[in-house]
Amino acid sequence: MMFDGRIALITGGAGGIGRATAHALAREGATVVLAGRDLTALADAVKEIGSGRADHVAADVTDASSAAQMVETVVARHGGLHVAVNNAGVLGAVGPVADIDAGAWDEVLAVNLTGVFLSMKHEIAHMRGHGGGTIVNVSSNIGTHGRRPALAAYAASKAGVGVLTRTAALDHIADGVRINAVSPGASDTPMSLLPGESREDRAERMRTAAPSGRVAETSEVAAGILWLASDAASHVAGHDLVIDCAATA
Ligand code: NAP
C-alpha cells in the first residue's frame, strides 16, 4: 500500500489515463479526488472505483478561481493534499500551422499549459505549508521528445509542460514538494485515434508505426505516474519519464 493514508487529486480524472491512475492510486491505499468539468463522467468514475475512497470535484483548470477552489475543496473535505496528478488535456487544433485558428491555439494552451500552471500553483501553495507532497504532470512524447505534423499547438503546449515541470521542481524541492512529469506515447484512449479511426484500425496502424507494435495500456502509463509520485522515487525531481516503448528513442 504505497499511498496508504494519502489524499490524491487527479485532474481529468474521468478520462482514460486519469481514470486508470485514480484506480491504481486507490488500490494502493490513497483517497482519490477526481476533477474535471463533466460531473456525470466524474460520478461514474467514482462509482467504478468504489471502496469509499473516491470523490469528485467540478473544476475547469483554465480558470484561475476554479483551480484555486478545486484545491481548497479537496483540503476542506479530506483534510489535506499529498499527491497531485495534473493530467487534464486536450488534443485541440489539428492542421498545419498556417491554418490553425488563433482561438483554437489559445484553447489548447489554456488547458494543457496554463491549466497545469494554475493547478500546480495552488497545489504547491498548500503542500509547502503542510509537510510537502508530490506532483506528476502528464505531458506527452509529442513536444520535447518527438514531433508529429499538424499538431503544433499540442506539441508546443506539452513542450511547455516539460519546461514548467523542471522549473517548478527546482523552485520547490526545498519546500518538500517533488515535481516530475510523464510523457506517454499513443495510449489506449480516444485521443490517439485518427479522425474516423476505430480501435481496430488504430491497432493495425500501430503494428507498423510503433516499435512495440501497439499503443500503451492506460495502466502502463499509470504505473509510471505512481512510481514518480511514490516514496520509491524519493530522490527524483524535475524528471520527465517517457513512456512510449522507444517510439521517440
Ligand atoms: P481523455 O480521456 O480525453 O481525458 C482528458 C481529461 O481532461 C478528460 O477527463 C477531461 O474531462 C479533462 N479536461 C479537459 N479539459 C479540461 C478542463 N478545462 N478542466 C478540467 N478538466 C479538463 O484523454 P487521455 O488520453 O486520458 O489524456 C490524458 C492526458 O494524457 C492528457 O494530458 C493528454 O494530453 C495526455 N496524453 C495522452 C496520450 C494518448 O495517446 N491518449 C498520449 C500522450 C499524452 P472533462 O471533459 O470532464 O473536463
Side-chain angles (χ1 to χ4, degrees):
M1 292 295 229
M2 287 193 293
F3 294 93
D4 206 17
R6 299 192 196 174
I7 313 300
L9 167 66
I10 303 108
T11 70
I17 291 171
R19 192 180 290 226
T21 303
H23 271 279
L25 283 164
R27 273 197 303 275
E28 289 294 336
T31 294
V32 292
V33 186
L34 284 54
R37 297 162 306 172
D38 181 343
L39 286 175
T40 309
L42 289 167
D44 177 64
V46 164
K47 196 169 157 206
E48 193 183 270
I49 294 165
S51 83
R53 283 204 301 265
D55 186 13
H56 67 276
V57 57
D60 181 342
V61 296
T62 67
D63 181 288
S65 60
S66 181
Q69 188 69 47
M70 168 178 80
V71 174
E72 273 171 36
T73 303
V74 174
V75 173
R77 283 194 204 153
H78 299 282
L81 175 64
H82 309 104
V83 175
V85 181
N86 296 314
N87 160 78
V90 293
L91 194 64
V94 176
V97 168
D99 299 334
I100 294 177
D101 174 74
W105 168 275
D106 286 345
E107 195 185 323
V108 175
L109 271 289
V111 180
N112 293 4
L113 183 55
T114 305
V116 171
F117 159 68
L118 290 172
S119 301
M120 274 209 294
K121 173 179 165 63
H122 297 289
E123 292 155 0
I124 295 166
H126 172 79
M127 288 173 175
R128 71 177 170 187
H130 297 84
T134 61
I135 295 175
V136 181
N137 297 321
V138 180
S139 184
S140 168
N141 71 342
I142 298 171
T144 308
H145 308 283
R147 264 147 295 282
R148 280 256 311 278
L151 283 178
Y154 184 78
S157 71
K158 294 299 189 177
V161 170
V163 176
L164 175 60
T165 299
R166 295 206 303 274
T167 311
L170 203 51
D171 285 345
H172 295 291
I173 192 63
D175 296 325
V177 183
R178 260 191 329 103
I179 304 172
N180 290 288
V182 293
S183 283
S187 308
D188 187 13
T189 82
M191 194 182 280
S192 64
L193 296 171
L194 298 177
E197 194 178 44
S198 67
R199 286 182 81 212
E200 292 69 32
D201 295 338
R202 184 185 60 197
E204 187 55 39
R205 173 169 59 86
M206 294 304 287
R207 260 191 274 283
T208 50
S212 65
R214 64 172 178 86
V215 293
E217 301 294 335
T218 53
S219 60
E220 293 174 312
V221 179
I225 294 171
L226 257 69
W227 180 73
L228 284 170
S230 77
D231 294 344
S234 55
H235 205 58
V236 181
H239 187 64
D240 183 358
L241 180 63
V242 179
I243 307 176
D244 71 359
C245 228
T248 52

